[in-house]
Amino acid sequence: MELHFDMQYEDAYREVYEMVKPKYKLFTAGPVACFPEVLAIMSVQMFSHRSAEAKEVHVDTLNRLKAFLEADKGEIILFPSSGTGFMEAAVRNAVPHGGKVLVTVIGAFGERFADVVNANGRKAVILRKEPGYAVKPEELDDALRKNPDVHAVTITYNETSTGVLNPLPELAKVVHEHDKLLFVDAVSAMGGADIKFDKWGLDLVFASSQKAFGVPPGLAMAAVSERVFEIAEKMPERGWYFDLPLYRKFNAKKKGTPSTPPLPQIFGLNVVLRIIEKMGGKEAWLDMYRKRSEMIREGVREMGLGILAEPGYESPTITAVVVPEGMKGVDVYNAMRERGFELAKGYGSVAEKTFRIGNMGYMTFDDIREMLDNLREVIEKLKA
């Protein structure tokens, strides 16, 4: 979608546009295609992030996201960063230096959380599953019994690298039974899978704008429990840029963020939350994602391809597809790109034997049908 303005130096714009103009229909792991309404609102002229207008949209966005996450007891925090910023914030604000964190790893982004824990002077204790498998409640219970001294547990709700959705409500129950903090990476889940912050008793659940909400990258958002703030207030050397109590103070007093926020992304998120409301609410929106992912899985199975995720734990936002013996995932990716479809390469330890199909952001069911038709032809050609 190209927007048009009166420009004195249109040639400068054109030079860059030629490099970045849309060439593919996106079925990526993110960033994803954005809703036209999002692109339109993000084109408005900028104004001060301390203005009355900025404060109004900030507070309205917090309230709408709080309702979407069912987080009446949580504080909504917006970071000018990617979702990874909240990994660091969780560790620095709520785990003492040298403290242990039980990190559940079902793919590459669980590994990242472990790296963040260790890089910040804490110790990651790993509960690792083979790619394609979710963490089961009894496994988490066993790990916590063997490691009673951990301060917190991290769960990747939806593992982007493998297309697996962890059973978050059941896992959260186990964490509560052991009275540990629970940090949830919901980067590719929030907006595509249900989150009930209060009911499930989450302590910190975070995401990024460029995934299921269909907004450009640059904004991270989270719901944070009172327990985290109580710990953080007493935590030495928790940093400044990701200081959670500081962000809560700015929410209350300044109706904004401590440093300059990505205003266009906040506008875009606000528009998406309104679109969700106009579509019929959260259930209707999540049902759309369920239907998209089911359509993709059914389509690839009809081609004789495998799904990496174990049955019953498939992601509603991204599908990791296992290629036949003798075929490489990157070959499928490249062939589809030649046809105008940008899928996602395999990632992490399963990179060679998989490719991924994202269904996040702006797309239609006709787009999915067209993609599957082309994928069928590509697979048949590569098999020949």
Side-chain angles (χ1 to χ4, degrees), residues 208-219:
S208 302
S209 54
Q210 77 278 8
K211 301 284 186 175
F213 285 124
V215 176
L219 177 68

Side-chain angles (χ1 to χ4, degrees), residues 231-246:
I231 295 171
E233 290 283 3
K234 302 173 184 177
M235 188 66 63
E237 299 180 355
R238 61 179 181 264
W240 189 92
Y241 193 77
F242 295 133
D243 180 345
L244 292 174
L246 180 63

Side-chain angles (χ1 to χ4, degrees), residues 120-297:
N120 280 279
R122 283 71 173 173
K123 182 180 179 180
V125 179
I126 308 296
L127 168 56
R128 180 178 282 105
K129 297 298 296 287
E130 288 295 315
Y133 291 89
V135 175
K136 308 305 188 298
E138 60 273 17
E139 295 168 336
L140 181 58
D141 180 66
D142 181 63
L144 284 168
R145 289 181 186 279
K146 292 176 179 177
N147 297 279
D149 57 341
V150 300
H151 292 265
V153 176
T154 76
I155 295 172
T156 310
Y157 188 7
N158 189 81
E159 176 53 64
T160 318
S161 68
T162 62
V164 172
L165 186 75
N166 262 319
L168 181 56
E170 292 87 347
L171 296 176
K173 184 178 179 181
V174 173
V175 175
H176 298 153
E177 290 170 353
H178 289 267
D179 194 27
K180 306 299 180 183
L181 290 170
L182 176 55
F183 307 147
V184 181
D185 172 354
V187 168
S188 61
M190 188 183 292
D194 198 11
I195 294 174
K196 299 181 185 298
F197 183 84
D198 292 344
K199 183 177 180 180
W200 297 348
L202 310 181
D203 285 298
L204 193 152
V205 56
F206 64 88
S208 302
S209 54
Q210 77 278 8
K211 301 284 186 175
F213 285 124
V215 176
L219 177 68
M221 66 288 295
V224 184
S225 73
E226 183 61 34
R227 184 160 67 150
V228 168
F229 286 110
E230 290 174 358
I231 295 171
E233 290 283 3
K234 302 173 184 177
M235 188 66 63
E237 299 180 355
R238 61 179 181 264
W240 189 92
Y241 193 77
F242 295 133
D243 180 345
L244 292 174
L246 180 63
Y247 275 80
R248 182 162 70 165
K249 290 174 184 176
F250 268 74
N251 275 349
K253 296 182 179 180
K254 299 285 188 178
K255 296 180 173 60
T257 53
S259 58
T260 308
L263 289 176
Q265 281 82 349
I266 294 175
F267 303 162
L269 177 60
N270 194 291
V271 164
V272 168
L273 293 169
R274 290 169 185 267
I275 289 173
I276 293 171
E277 183 181 298
K278 296 177 187 300
M279 280 182 58
K282 180 178 179 178
E283 288 187 12
W285 174 267
L286 295 181
D287 189 56
M288 173 192 73
Y289 266 103
R290 179 185 60 79
K291 289 176 178 176
R292 284 181 183 180
S293 60
E294 287 179 352
M295 184 176 179
I296 290 170
R297 289 196 299 272

